[in-house]
């Protein structure tokens, strides 16, 4: 307000008119849905009109719902409840043909679920971390990056781990120095470090 008041009245009107235009990015709600759980992650299923919503129920159970957009409506096409609440998820290490989501949970578990068969995970490490997994990212799937699919997880235990879903043990584990305070890891991400020939 101070900056606007310092401008001459004519200039102030021009500035205000510029801010009121609809040229700025806008968020438009298409549909909304009441939920019986707290959602922590929502991800579009690659190359589809579906999305996944993952979170935790009031009884601390994990909830995974798959929604589909059909004729302007949003329908739940699959839903499952699991042992521990979900905090994060990614499709980054999944191929377009599989479209499997990797999730991290409140118990420190890492799982990969096939969206067509949600009964049980296709890959699971129940104690990937000693505390909640705050973040997960993937690479190698969806045509992103090169090489094998890999997942990175970050946890409240202060560790960052890299996983190859073909084996049950972490490929790399970056851990806090012993005796030092442990800080939460809130975010992990793979970079574009693939070498291109030539």
């Amino acid at each position: 307000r101070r900056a606007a008041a310092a401008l001459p009245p004519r200039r102030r009107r021009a500035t205000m008119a510029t801010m009121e235009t609809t040229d700025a990015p806008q968020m438009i709600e298409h549909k909304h849905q009441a939920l019986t759980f707290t959602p922590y992650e929502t991800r579009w299923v690659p190359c589809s009109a579906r999305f996944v919503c993952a979170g935790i129920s009031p009884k601390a159970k994990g909830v995974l719902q798959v929604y589909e957009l059909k004729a302007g409506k949003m329908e739940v096409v699959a839903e499952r409840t699991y042992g521990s609440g979900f905090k994060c998820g990614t499709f980054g290490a999944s191929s377009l043909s599989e479209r499997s989501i990797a999730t991290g949970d409140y118990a420190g578990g890492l799982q990969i679920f096939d969206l067509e068969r949600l009964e049980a995970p296709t890959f699971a490490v129940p104690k990937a971390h000693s505390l909640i997994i705050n973040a997960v990212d993937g690479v190698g799937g969806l045509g992103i990056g090169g090489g094998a699919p890999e997942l990175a997880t970050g946890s409240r235990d202060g560790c960052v781990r890299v996983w190859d879903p073909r084996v049950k043990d972490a490929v790399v584990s970056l851990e806090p120095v012993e005796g030092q305070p442990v800080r939460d890891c809130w975010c992990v991400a793979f970079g574009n470090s693939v070498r291109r020939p030539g």
Side-chain angles (χ1 to χ4, degrees):
R1 292 180 181 206
R2 289 179 186 164
L7 294 173
R10 193 155 121 212
R11 179 95 187 262
R12 193 177 324 141
R13 280 193 296 272
T15 303
M16 296 302 282
T18 304
M19 292 191 311
E20 293 176 319
T21 65
T22 58
D23 294 336
Q26 297 181 16
M27 298 286 285
I28 299 171
E29 178 183 296
H30 291 284
K31 295 289 175 189
H32 65 272
Q33 176 77 30
L35 300 173
T36 58
F37 64 98
T38 303
Y40 281 107
E41 190 74 86
T42 303
R43 295 281 176 180
W44 283 106
V45 178
C47 299
S48 75
R50 297 184 302 163
F51 63 92
V52 175
C53 190
I56 187 169
S57 73
K59 293 183 178 181
K61 299 292 184 187
V63 178
L64 199 60
Q65 290 182 333
V66 181
Y67 289 86
E68 187 169 21
L69 301 176
K70 290 182 180 177
K73 295 183 180 179
M74 190 168 62
E75 297 178 11
V76 177
V77 293
E79 180 177 8
R80 293 294 288 193
T81 303
Y82 300 96
S84 184
F86 296 113
K87 178 68 174 172
C88 52
T90 182
F91 284 100
S94 175
S95 70
L96 284 174
S97 61
E98 291 177 3
R99 298 185 209 168
S100 298
I101 188 167
T103 60
D105 67 28
Y106 274 77
L110 173 66
Q111 308 85 15
I112 298 177
F113 293 96
D114 180 347
L115 296 183
E116 303 303 322
R117 293 178 288 283
L118 288 176
E119 298 80 39
T122 57
F123 171 83
V125 181
K127 286 294 178 187
H129 289 270
S130 60
L131 297 170
I132 182 175
I133 295 178
N134 290 318
V136 63
D137 190 27
V139 72
L142 304 177
I144 302 167
E150 291 182 327
L151 295 165
T153 55
S155 171
R156 182 175 291 166
D157 64 11
C159 298
V160 173
R161 297 201 169 112
V162 178
W163 305 86
D164 183 334
R166 299 172 296 180
V167 296
K168 294 283 184 182
D169 296 322
V171 177
V172 175
S173 184
L174 307 172
E175 301 179 6
V177 176
E178 195 170 318
Q180 295 293 318
V182 175
R183 294 186 172 94
D184 275 43
C185 174
W186 286 101
C187 181
V188 292
F190 282 99
N192 184 11
S193 61
V194 178
R195 267 193 181 174
R196 305 272 184 232

